[in-house]
Amino acid sequence: MIHPRIDQLLDRVEDSRYALVIVSAKRARQINNYHHQLGEGIGFEEAPPPLVESRSKNYLTMAMEEIASGKITYHLPAT
């Protein structure tokens, strides 16, 4: 079983699978950059640390868990 469930994630990004993919991929990249910066002593402005405790070592899973918990949200811009 996949956790978090896709329906939980879609509720957080206004039912757009495309937005879910983009938001989770960008956040996973930020988490990856954070882990690479730990040893270099660089500031965390561009790459904040993970916002949830996760048993997974996979950055994409961590990003999706953040979205499911409501730490990361996305709203479509008004037209």
Side-chain angles (χ1 to χ4, degrees), residues 22-36 46-47 59-60 63:
I22 298 299
V23 169
S24 58
K26 284 186 177 188
R27 181 59 185 141
R29 191 172 301 122
Q30 287 178 343
I31 295 170
N32 182 29
N33 290 341
Y34 166 78
H35 285 285
H36 287 297
E46 294 180 19
Y59 301 138
L60 186 58

Side-chain angles (χ1 to χ4, degrees), residues 37-48:
Q37 291 177 6
L38 284 177
E40 298 173 10
I42 300 173
F44 301 126
E45 295 82 31
E46 294 180 19

